[in-house]
Amino acid sequence: MSVILNIKDLSGGYQEDVDILMGVSMDVQKGEAVGILGLNGSGKSTLGKAIMNMIPIRYGEVFFEGNNVSSLTTSQLSHCGISIMQQGGKVFKTLSVWDNLQLALSKQPKETLDRLKSIIPILQRPKRQLQRLMADKLSGGLKHQLSLAMTLSTNPRLVILDEPSAGLSPIAVQELYEILHDVRETFGITIILIEQNIASAIEFCDRLFLMEQGELKIQLDPNDKEQIDNIFFR
Amino acid sequence: MILRLKDIHISFTNAHNETFDLLRGVNLDVEKGKITALIGGNGTGKTTLFNIISGFEKNYKGKIEFEGHEVNFKRMPAYKISMEGIGRLFQDGQLMSGLTLMENMKLASNDTTGEIPFVSLLFPNRYKQAELKKEAQAREILTRIFGENNKYLSLLNQDASAFSYGEQRLLSLARMLMGGDRLLLLDEPTSGVHPQYINTIAQIIREMKEREGLTVLLIEHNMHFVREVADTCAYLDEGVIAEVGPTNVVLGNQKVRNSYLGL
């Protein structure tokens, strides 16, 4: 296995004088799924945004596939092969499902849609129906599916998922994780998963990190039940 | 009975003039002093039902009784309904940015001393006392949820927009506990919240029910939480309340298990 993402001592936050991330370092191997857990406000989403260069970085570097990408903009990063799915399943609410997809796929080869169709159920509906269906009328589960499809539209090799299961019904959570399993198996995409749903994260991830006050404090083995019980279910 | 919904219907028309009936005759009694969970798949109309009760959605048919009287919610703006004692936590519950955390907390209090023009000028002491009381209450609530000497106590003067998405959800729930409401509508209080805080939230909601006789109607997908707090559970499916009863009975129902829990 080779390292796909290497983060060195990343520090920064939304304002120049207040650091949220306090020197985060980690390696992500190609093809693995790494989970980031932690209390609200510990800096999980901030880490995702920092990797994508969506917030000012004060110190530290990000290497993707061996290249230093710290100075690239968010859109350049997404062309290089890193994507993020943000909290709350973000889609363009006033557009139809089809138009949302067209926006995401506009510069991509034709096969991309077919590839996505094979694993994301909402895309398998007839085109006519997708053209008529407004994105804000979608149920939570379907909205997350659409958001995921848009995230995957650039054929990324690394995807950051920020709480993909929040707000979904139990059955929709199951469906979403089945899709995510397919995403890993079919496309071989490396995943960084930020989650509050600990049970799902344990099942899905190869490695887990616990984030505390802007630092990656503990690395957990998802199979080590005792350690996990001690930390989360005391 | 604090809230009674009778035969609530609502339908939507899309840009292509196709009509879709979302709620097709919802009947629900919410018992006073009890915690009722409203469950159901994504897109079944749970949040729409909350929108109707809290006055954001007027285009419905049916009747609503609050505390024994039929209230015409259609003619009441949302803020008036909230002044009647129905509080709501939104799905993407956010604090008001531009105000500090403390100002956000104080906003939610039902103590209006000082909000009447000139009162704060004529009775500066009374106004000051009221402000101090609200501040103490805000501190107490934050301590109850996050523990002694938690970080939020030192960030009370921070602008609300500086908190993370999850923190804002959690803090806007804390803000609801400032009082004044007799019925709380909570739209997914635990979504995106760390398990450690979920237990505390469950505990606080139960305490408020027992101590202050508060009634809670909540939408929730976290079944562990529902089992923990809810006395009654109502399952919304295909536009009607398909099952209602004690929580363990409804969650044990075969139909609910198959079509909602996926078991």
Side-chain angles (χ1 to χ4, degrees), chain A residues 14-15 20 38-42 87-88 131-132 134 137 139-141 163 166-172 174 196 198 210 232-233, chain B residues 12 14 16 18 40-43 151-152 162 164-167 170 188 191-197 221 223 258-262:
Chain A
Y14 301 87
Q15 295 155 4
I20 309 274
L39 289 181
N40 297 106
S42 58
Q87 254 162 339
Q131 281 172 330
R132 288 182 161 222
M134 298 304 284
K137 288 277 176 281
S139 68
E163 295 199 30
L168 301 191
S169 72
I171 206 163
Q174 279 178 27
Q196 291 292 5
I198 287 167
L210 189 64
F232 296 108
F233 305 107
Chain B
F12 293 104
N14 69 6
H16 303 274
E18 294 160 338
N42 294 112
K151 72 168 184 177
Y152 299 104
S164 81
Y165 181 84
E167 278 178 307
L170 204 50
E188 297 194 33
S191 153
V193 171
H194 190 270
Q196 183 184 323
Y197 295 142
H221 289 306
M223 288 307 119
N258 289 342
S259 58
Y260 176 63
L261 299 173

Side-chain angles (χ1 to χ4, degrees), chain B residues 4-42:
Chain B
R4 172 170 277 175
L5 305 176
K6 281 185 188 164
D7 206 22
I8 305 286
H9 285 261
I10 194 163
S11 35
F12 293 104
T13 310
N14 69 6
H16 303 274
N17 263 331
E18 294 160 338
T19 310
F20 175 68
D21 299 325
L22 184 62
L23 300 178
R24 304 168 191 177
V26 167
N27 292 295
L28 181 66
D29 290 345
V30 179
E31 221 173 310
K32 199 171 158 56
K34 288 271 162 68
I35 299 173
T36 305
L38 181 63
I39 61 170
N42 294 112

Side-chain angles (χ1 to χ4, degrees), chain A residues 205-224:
Chain A
C205 295
D206 304 311
R207 273 194 302 157
L208 297 170
F209 284 99
L210 189 64
M211 194 144 188
E212 265 175 36
Q213 295 171 1
E215 290 176 55
L216 287 180
K217 275 275 164 65
I218 311 172
Q219 187 177 329
L220 302 167
D221 176 2
N223 299 318
D224 187 348

